[in-house]
Short mmCIF file of all heavy atoms in Angstrom, two decimals:
data_model
loop_
_atom_site.label_atom_id
_atom_site.label_comp_id
_atom_site.label_asym_id
_atom_site.label_seq_id
_atom_site.Cartn_x
_atom_site.Cartn_y
_atom_site.Cartn_z
N SER A 24 0.81 -1.22 0.00
CA SER A 24 0.00 0.00 0.00
C SER A 24 0.85 1.27 0.00
O SER A 24 0.36 2.34 -0.37
CB SER A 24 -0.95 0.01 1.20
OG SER A 24 -0.21 -0.03 2.40
N SER A 25 2.10 1.17 0.36
CA SER A 25 2.99 2.33 0.31
C SER A 25 3.15 2.85 -1.11
O SER A 25 3.34 4.04 -1.33
CB SER A 25 4.37 1.99 0.87
OG SER A 25 4.28 1.57 2.21
N GLY A 26 3.04 1.96 -2.08
CA GLY A 26 3.12 2.37 -3.48
C GLY A 26 1.93 3.23 -3.87
O GLY A 26 2.07 4.21 -4.61
N ILE A 27 0.75 2.88 -3.36
CA ILE A 27 -0.45 3.68 -3.61
C ILE A 27 -0.27 5.08 -2.99
O ILE A 27 -0.53 6.09 -3.63
CB ILE A 27 -1.71 3.00 -3.03
CG1 ILE A 27 -1.90 1.60 -3.62
CG2 ILE A 27 -2.94 3.87 -3.21
CD1 ILE A 27 -2.20 1.54 -5.09
N GLY A 28 0.22 5.10 -1.77
CA GLY A 28 0.48 6.38 -1.09
C GLY A 28 1.52 7.21 -1.82
O GLY A 28 1.40 8.44 -1.90
N LEU A 29 2.53 6.55 -2.35
CA LEU A 29 3.58 7.24 -3.11
C LEU A 29 2.98 7.95 -4.31
O LEU A 29 3.26 9.12 -4.57
CB LEU A 29 4.64 6.23 -3.56
CG LEU A 29 5.74 6.78 -4.45
CD1 LEU A 29 6.74 7.58 -3.64
CD2 LEU A 29 6.45 5.65 -5.18
N ILE A 30 2.12 7.26 -5.03
CA ILE A 30 1.49 7.85 -6.22
C ILE A 30 0.56 9.00 -5.82
O ILE A 30 0.61 10.08 -6.43
CB ILE A 30 0.72 6.77 -7.01
CG1 ILE A 30 1.69 5.71 -7.54
CG2 ILE A 30 -0.06 7.41 -8.15
CD1 ILE A 30 1.03 4.45 -8.04
N MET A 31 -0.25 8.78 -4.81
CA MET A 31 -1.20 9.82 -4.39
C MET A 31 -0.48 11.09 -3.93
O MET A 31 -0.90 12.20 -4.26
CB MET A 31 -2.10 9.29 -3.28
CG MET A 31 -3.06 8.23 -3.78
SD MET A 31 -4.08 7.54 -2.47
CE MET A 31 -5.31 8.83 -2.35
N GLY A 32 0.60 10.92 -3.20
CA GLY A 32 1.36 12.07 -2.73
C GLY A 32 1.99 12.86 -3.86
O GLY A 32 2.01 14.09 -3.86
N ARG A 33 2.51 12.14 -4.89
CA ARG A 33 3.11 12.84 -6.03
C ARG A 33 2.02 13.53 -6.83
O ARG A 33 2.23 14.61 -7.37
CB ARG A 33 3.85 11.87 -6.96
CG ARG A 33 5.14 11.22 -6.50
CD ARG A 33 5.89 11.82 -5.35
NE ARG A 33 5.36 11.22 -4.12
CZ ARG A 33 5.12 11.88 -2.98
NH1 ARG A 33 5.40 13.12 -2.83
NH2 ARG A 33 4.62 11.28 -1.93
N TYR A 34 0.83 12.93 -6.89
CA TYR A 34 -0.31 13.58 -7.55
C TYR A 34 -0.63 14.91 -6.86
O TYR A 34 -0.78 15.94 -7.52
CB TYR A 34 -1.53 12.66 -7.55
CG TYR A 34 -2.80 13.37 -7.93
CD1 TYR A 34 -3.09 13.66 -9.26
CD2 TYR A 34 -3.70 13.80 -6.96
CE1 TYR A 34 -4.25 14.34 -9.61
CE2 TYR A 34 -4.87 14.47 -7.30
CZ TYR A 34 -5.14 14.74 -8.62
OH TYR A 34 -6.27 15.42 -8.96
N ARG A 35 -0.71 14.89 -5.54
CA ARG A 35 -1.01 16.12 -4.79
C ARG A 35 0.06 17.17 -5.02
O ARG A 35 -0.24 18.35 -5.20
CB ARG A 35 -1.15 15.83 -3.30
CG ARG A 35 -2.51 15.31 -2.95
CD ARG A 35 -2.71 15.24 -1.44
NE ARG A 35 -3.08 13.86 -1.15
CZ ARG A 35 -2.36 12.96 -0.49
NH1 ARG A 35 -1.24 13.27 0.02
NH2 ARG A 35 -2.77 11.75 -0.30
N LEU A 36 1.32 16.76 -5.01
CA LEU A 36 2.41 17.71 -5.23
C LEU A 36 2.34 18.30 -6.64
O LEU A 36 2.50 19.51 -6.83
CB LEU A 36 3.76 17.04 -5.01
CG LEU A 36 5.01 17.90 -5.17
CD1 LEU A 36 4.97 19.11 -4.23
CD2 LEU A 36 6.26 17.08 -4.94
N MET A 37 2.06 17.47 -7.62
CA MET A 37 1.97 17.95 -9.01
C MET A 37 0.79 18.91 -9.19
O MET A 37 0.84 19.77 -10.06
CB MET A 37 1.86 16.77 -9.98
CG MET A 37 3.15 15.98 -10.14
SD MET A 37 4.48 16.93 -10.88
CE MET A 37 3.85 17.10 -12.55
N GLN A 38 -0.24 18.79 -8.39
CA GLN A 38 -1.38 19.70 -8.46
C GLN A 38 -0.95 21.13 -8.15
O GLN A 38 -1.52 22.08 -8.67
CB GLN A 38 -2.48 19.26 -7.50
CG GLN A 38 -3.18 17.98 -7.92
CD GLN A 38 -3.84 18.12 -9.27
OE1 GLN A 38 -4.83 18.81 -9.42
NE2 GLN A 38 -3.26 17.47 -10.27
N ASN A 39 0.08 21.29 -7.32
CA ASN A 39 0.60 22.63 -7.01
C ASN A 39 1.12 23.34 -8.26
O ASN A 39 1.15 24.57 -8.31
CB ASN A 39 1.73 22.55 -5.99
CG ASN A 39 1.26 22.08 -4.64
OD1 ASN A 39 0.11 22.25 -4.27
ND2 ASN A 39 2.16 21.46 -3.90
N PHE A 40 1.54 22.57 -9.25
CA PHE A 40 2.09 23.13 -10.49
C PHE A 40 1.14 22.90 -11.67
O PHE A 40 1.54 23.04 -12.82
CB PHE A 40 3.46 22.50 -10.78
CG PHE A 40 4.39 22.55 -9.61
CD1 PHE A 40 4.75 21.39 -8.95
CD2 PHE A 40 4.88 23.75 -9.14
CE1 PHE A 40 5.59 21.42 -7.85
CE2 PHE A 40 5.71 23.80 -8.04
CZ PHE A 40 6.07 22.63 -7.39
N LYS A 41 -0.09 22.52 -11.34
CA LYS A 41 -1.10 22.20 -12.36
C LYS A 41 -0.60 21.12 -13.33
O LYS A 41 -0.88 21.15 -14.52
CB LYS A 41 -1.53 23.45 -13.11
CG LYS A 41 -2.14 24.51 -12.19
CD LYS A 41 -2.82 25.58 -12.94
CE LYS A 41 -3.39 26.70 -12.10
NZ LYS A 41 -3.60 26.57 -10.73
N GLY A 42 0.15 20.18 -12.77
CA GLY A 42 0.73 19.10 -13.55
C GLY A 42 -0.10 17.83 -13.50
O GLY A 42 -1.03 17.70 -12.71
N LYS A 43 0.27 16.88 -14.37
CA LYS A 43 -0.43 15.60 -14.46
C LYS A 43 0.53 14.47 -14.14
O LYS A 43 1.74 14.61 -14.31
CB LYS A 43 -0.99 15.41 -15.87
CG LYS A 43 -2.03 16.44 -16.22
CD LYS A 43 -2.62 16.19 -17.58
CE LYS A 43 -3.64 17.30 -17.84
NZ LYS A 43 -4.54 16.99 -18.90
N VAL A 44 -0.05 13.34 -13.72
CA VAL A 44 0.74 12.16 -13.37
C VAL A 44 0.26 10.99 -14.21
O VAL A 44 -0.94 10.77 -14.38
CB VAL A 44 0.60 11.82 -11.87
CG1 VAL A 44 1.37 10.54 -11.54
CG2 VAL A 44 1.09 12.97 -11.01
N GLU A 45 1.23 10.25 -14.74
CA GLU A 45 0.96 9.01 -15.46
C GLU A 45 1.77 7.90 -14.80
O GLU A 45 2.94 8.09 -14.48
CB GLU A 45 1.37 9.14 -16.92
CG GLU A 45 1.20 7.87 -17.72
CD GLU A 45 1.70 8.02 -19.14
OE1 GLU A 45 1.31 9.00 -19.81
OE2 GLU A 45 2.48 7.15 -19.58
N VAL A 46 1.12 6.77 -14.57
CA VAL A 46 1.80 5.58 -14.06
C VAL A 46 1.82 4.58 -15.19
O VAL A 46 0.78 4.24 -15.74
CB VAL A 46 1.06 5.00 -12.83
CG1 VAL A 46 1.78 3.78 -12.30
CG2 VAL A 46 0.91 6.06 -11.74
N ARG A 47 3.01 4.13 -15.58
CA ARG A 47 3.09 3.22 -16.72
C ARG A 47 3.92 2.00 -16.38
O ARG A 47 4.67 1.98 -15.41
CB ARG A 47 3.64 3.93 -17.94
CG ARG A 47 5.11 4.24 -17.87
CD ARG A 47 5.57 4.88 -19.17
NE ARG A 47 7.01 5.15 -19.11
CZ ARG A 47 7.65 5.95 -19.93
NH1 ARG A 47 6.98 6.60 -20.85
NH2 ARG A 47 8.94 6.12 -19.80
N GLY A 48 3.74 0.97 -17.21
CA GLY A 48 4.52 -0.25 -17.04
C GLY A 48 4.06 -1.12 -15.89
O GLY A 48 4.84 -1.92 -15.38
N VAL A 49 2.79 -1.01 -15.49
CA VAL A 49 2.30 -1.82 -14.38
C VAL A 49 1.75 -3.15 -14.89
O VAL A 49 1.28 -3.24 -16.02
CB VAL A 49 1.21 -1.09 -13.55
CG1 VAL A 49 1.75 0.17 -12.92
CG2 VAL A 49 -0.01 -0.78 -14.38
N SER A 50 1.82 -4.16 -14.05
CA SER A 50 1.23 -5.46 -14.40
C SER A 50 -0.28 -5.34 -14.34
O SER A 50 -0.82 -4.41 -13.74
CB SER A 50 1.71 -6.54 -13.42
OG SER A 50 1.19 -6.30 -12.13
N SER A 51 -0.98 -6.30 -14.94
CA SER A 51 -2.45 -6.26 -14.91
C SER A 51 -2.96 -6.37 -13.48
O SER A 51 -3.95 -5.72 -13.12
CB SER A 51 -3.04 -7.35 -15.79
OG SER A 51 -2.61 -8.62 -15.36
N GLN A 52 -2.29 -7.15 -12.65
CA GLN A 52 -2.70 -7.29 -11.24
C GLN A 52 -2.51 -5.98 -10.48
O GLN A 52 -3.39 -5.55 -9.74
CB GLN A 52 -1.91 -8.41 -10.57
CG GLN A 52 -2.34 -8.68 -9.15
CD GLN A 52 -1.55 -9.82 -8.52
OE1 GLN A 52 -0.52 -10.23 -9.03
NE2 GLN A 52 -2.03 -10.30 -7.40
N THR A 53 -1.38 -5.32 -10.69
CA THR A 53 -1.13 -4.05 -10.02
C THR A 53 -2.11 -2.99 -10.51
O THR A 53 -2.59 -2.17 -9.73
CB THR A 53 0.33 -3.60 -10.25
OG1 THR A 53 1.20 -4.60 -9.74
CG2 THR A 53 0.62 -2.28 -9.56
N LYS A 54 -2.43 -3.02 -11.79
CA LYS A 54 -3.39 -2.06 -12.34
C LYS A 54 -4.75 -2.23 -11.66
O LYS A 54 -5.40 -1.24 -11.31
CB LYS A 54 -3.53 -2.23 -13.85
CG LYS A 54 -4.46 -1.19 -14.47
CD LYS A 54 -4.56 -1.34 -15.97
CE LYS A 54 -5.48 -0.26 -16.51
NZ LYS A 54 -5.76 -0.45 -17.93
N LYS A 55 -5.16 -3.46 -11.45
CA LYS A 55 -6.43 -3.72 -10.76
C LYS A 55 -6.42 -3.14 -9.36
O LYS A 55 -7.39 -2.52 -8.92
CB LYS A 55 -6.73 -5.22 -10.71
CG LYS A 55 -7.16 -5.79 -12.03
CD LYS A 55 -7.39 -7.29 -11.92
CE LYS A 55 -7.58 -7.89 -13.29
NZ LYS A 55 -7.62 -9.36 -13.26
N LEU A 56 -5.32 -3.34 -8.63
CA LEU A 56 -5.20 -2.78 -7.27
C LEU A 56 -5.28 -1.25 -7.30
O LEU A 56 -5.93 -0.64 -6.45
CB LEU A 56 -3.89 -3.21 -6.62
CG LEU A 56 -3.77 -4.67 -6.22
CD1 LEU A 56 -2.35 -4.98 -5.79
CD2 LEU A 56 -4.75 -5.00 -5.11
N MET A 57 -4.63 -0.66 -8.28
CA MET A 57 -4.65 0.80 -8.39
C MET A 57 -6.05 1.30 -8.72
O MET A 57 -6.48 2.32 -8.20
CB MET A 57 -3.64 1.26 -9.45
CG MET A 57 -2.21 1.07 -9.04
SD MET A 57 -1.07 1.61 -10.34
CE MET A 57 0.50 1.34 -9.52
N GLU A 58 -6.76 0.57 -9.57
CA GLU A 58 -8.13 0.96 -9.91
C GLU A 58 -9.05 0.82 -8.70
O GLU A 58 -9.89 1.70 -8.45
CB GLU A 58 -8.63 0.13 -11.08
CG GLU A 58 -7.96 0.51 -12.39
CD GLU A 58 -8.29 -0.43 -13.54
OE1 GLU A 58 -8.77 -1.57 -13.29
OE2 GLU A 58 -8.05 -0.03 -14.69
N ILE A 59 -8.91 -0.26 -7.94
CA ILE A 59 -9.72 -0.46 -6.74
C ILE A 59 -9.49 0.65 -5.72
O ILE A 59 -10.42 1.10 -5.06
CB ILE A 59 -9.43 -1.85 -6.11
CG1 ILE A 59 -9.99 -2.95 -7.01
CG2 ILE A 59 -10.01 -1.96 -4.71
CD1 ILE A 59 -9.53 -4.35 -6.64
N SER A 60 -8.25 1.11 -5.63
CA SER A 60 -7.92 2.17 -4.67
C SER A 60 -8.42 3.54 -5.10
O SER A 60 -8.36 4.50 -4.35
CB SER A 60 -6.41 2.23 -4.44
OG SER A 60 -5.78 2.77 -5.58
N GLY A 61 -8.88 3.65 -6.34
CA GLY A 61 -9.39 4.92 -6.85
C GLY A 61 -8.36 5.76 -7.59
O GLY A 61 -8.66 6.86 -8.04
N LEU A 62 -7.16 5.24 -7.74
CA LEU A 62 -6.11 6.01 -8.42
C LEU A 62 -6.46 6.33 -9.86
O LEU A 62 -6.07 7.38 -10.38
CB LEU A 62 -4.78 5.25 -8.39
CG LEU A 62 -3.94 5.34 -7.14
CD1 LEU A 62 -2.68 4.51 -7.29
CD2 LEU A 62 -3.60 6.77 -6.80
N SER A 63 -7.20 5.44 -10.51
CA SER A 63 -7.50 5.66 -11.93
C SER A 63 -8.36 6.89 -12.17
O SER A 63 -8.45 7.38 -13.29
CB SER A 63 -8.15 4.42 -12.55
OG SER A 63 -9.33 4.08 -11.84
N SER A 64 -8.97 7.43 -11.11
CA SER A 64 -9.77 8.65 -11.28
C SER A 64 -8.92 9.92 -11.21
O SER A 64 -9.39 10.99 -11.58
CB SER A 64 -10.88 8.70 -10.22
OG SER A 64 -10.32 8.83 -8.92
N ILE A 65 -7.66 9.79 -10.77
CA ILE A 65 -6.81 10.98 -10.66
C ILE A 65 -5.54 10.92 -11.50
O ILE A 65 -4.94 11.95 -11.77
CB ILE A 65 -6.45 11.30 -9.18
CG1 ILE A 65 -5.69 10.15 -8.53
CG2 ILE A 65 -7.71 11.65 -8.39
CD1 ILE A 65 -5.13 10.46 -7.16
N VAL A 66 -5.10 9.71 -11.87
CA VAL A 66 -3.89 9.56 -12.69
C VAL A 66 -4.19 8.62 -13.85
O VAL A 66 -5.11 7.82 -13.80
CB VAL A 66 -2.67 9.04 -11.89
CG1 VAL A 66 -2.35 9.94 -10.72
CG2 VAL A 66 -2.89 7.61 -11.42
N THR A 67 -3.38 8.72 -14.89
CA THR A 67 -3.47 7.79 -16.02
C THR A 67 -2.64 6.56 -15.68
O THR A 67 -1.49 6.69 -15.25
CB THR A 67 -2.92 8.45 -17.31
OG1 THR A 67 -3.66 9.65 -17.56
CG2 THR A 67 -3.01 7.52 -18.49
N ILE A 68 -3.21 5.38 -15.86
CA ILE A 68 -2.52 4.13 -15.56
C ILE A 68 -2.42 3.32 -16.85
O ILE A 68 -3.43 3.06 -17.50
CB ILE A 68 -3.26 3.32 -14.48
CG1 ILE A 68 -3.41 4.15 -13.20
CG2 ILE A 68 -2.51 2.01 -14.20
CD1 ILE A 68 -4.33 3.52 -12.17
N LYS A 69 -1.19 2.93 -17.19
CA LYS A 69 -0.96 2.15 -18.41
C LYS A 69 -0.24 0.85 -18.07
O LYS A 69 0.79 0.86 -17.40
CB LYS A 69 -0.14 2.94 -19.42
CG LYS A 69 -0.86 4.18 -19.93
CD LYS A 69 -0.05 4.88 -20.99
CE LYS A 69 -0.81 6.08 -21.53
NZ LYS A 69 -0.02 6.81 -22.53
N GLU A 70 -0.80 -0.26 -18.56
CA GLU A 70 -0.21 -1.57 -18.33
C GLU A 70 1.06 -1.77 -19.16
O GLU A 70 1.26 -1.10 -20.17
CB GLU A 70 -1.20 -2.68 -18.72
CG GLU A 70 -2.20 -2.99 -17.66
CD GLU A 70 -3.05 -4.19 -18.05
OE1 GLU A 70 -2.49 -5.30 -18.23
OE2 GLU A 70 -4.27 -4.00 -18.15
#
């Protein structure tokens, strides 16, 4: 779950600069976990 927190924190920091976050190269299983956590609503996730 620290990985989810890592992504969410970088998303919040990037919002200060009106920036976007993309997470790429994830396995299908990791992508599912990220989607369940709600990350897919704030960052782009690519398998």
Side-chain angles (χ1 to χ4, degrees):
S24 61
S25 300
I27 302 294
L29 175 75
I30 296 166
M31 291 178 81
R33 290 342 88 221
Y34 167 78
R35 278 189 236 112
L36 181 58
M37 288 295 290
Q38 290 300 289
N39 294 334
F40 310 111
K41 300 193 183 343
K43 297 183 181 197
V44 177
E45 176 184 310
V46 180
R47 72 177 181 196
V49 298
S50 67
S51 59
Q52 184 179 14
T53 301
K54 184 178 181 187
K55 286 178 190 172
L56 289 171
M57 290 179 177
E58 289 172 342
I59 290 169
S60 72
L62 279 179
S63 57
S64 65
I65 60 172
V66 302
T67 302
I68 302 170
K69 295 184 177 178
E70 278 186 61

